[in-house]
Amino acid sequence: CIDGLAVNGRWESAKELLERMKAEKTKPNAISYNSVINACKRSGQWKAALEVFEQMKAEGTTPDKYTFSCLASVLAKAKKYEKIEYLYETSKHHKSMFDKQFLGIVINSFVRTSKYENIVELFEQTSD
């Protein structure tokens, strides 16, 4: 149901449905959170997407590959490079969750902000 709202970019309705799930004592899983983040992405709502990500972590739901890629994508579209760096920093302990899309967005963000040393660090960390 949330995914249907996400496909249509109805981010506010998707967020409301997520909140309703919590109010009814149904613990949302990563797929539920990802669907809301995707709805925010489709609508260009980077702040809302970041809020949902923070809620997800605070409530003990582990982000997955899709979470990082989707959130990084909406942040890149909004040119929020400092937020992409924050996302990368908070996700370092989830290295197995990195995919090519996420890493590409992070590298592009470092290039755009002239943080070339961070690219070297990223390659060193991901080559382990």
Side-chain angles (χ1 to χ4, degrees):
C1 194
I2 293 177
D3 201 41
L5 295 169
V7 169
N8 294 305
R10 297 182 56 197
W11 69 276
E12 290 170 315
S13 298
K15 266 187 92 170
E16 288 172 12
L17 188 54
L18 186 71
E19 292 306 317
R20 217 173 319 145
M21 284 176 69
K22 292 185 227 176
E24 293 174 4
K25 307 294 185 218
T26 303
K27 184 175 175 16
N29 59 18
I31 295 169
S32 302
Y33 284 104
N34 288 344
S35 293
V36 178
I37 292 170
N38 186 36
C40 295
K41 174 186 147 187
R42 289 176 176 269
S43 302
Q45 299 295 323
W46 68 268
K47 287 181 184 176
L50 201 53
E51 283 176 18
V52 172
F53 175 70
E54 294 299 341
Q55 286 175 2
M56 177 184 199
K57 292 189 317 177
E59 293 169 9
T61 303
T62 304
D64 60 19
K65 287 181 183 184
Y66 186 81
T67 309
F68 292 117
S69 291
C70 191
L71 186 54
S73 180
V74 70
L75 293 171
K77 190 172 183 180
K79 298 181 180 176
K80 298 298 177 187
Y81 305 119
E82 72 285 351
K83 300 292 184 189
I84 294 169
E85 187 172 347
Y86 161 77
L87 180 62
Y88 171 68
E89 290 297 323
T90 62
S91 66
K92 282 183 179 177
H93 61 282
H94 294 288
K95 279 192 276 189
S96 65
M97 298 296 174
F98 294 170
D99 64 11
K100 291 177 188 176
Q101 180 183 0
F102 176 70
L103 291 174
I105 291 169
V106 171
I107 291 167
N108 186 47
S109 174
F110 289 152
V111 168
R112 291 185 179 273
T113 57
S114 301
K115 295 183 177 176
Y116 304 109
E117 66 282 356
N118 291 9
I119 297 171
V120 173
E121 178 187 322
L122 185 145
F123 279 117
E124 289 171 351
Q125 289 178 351
T126 57
S127 66
D128 294 340

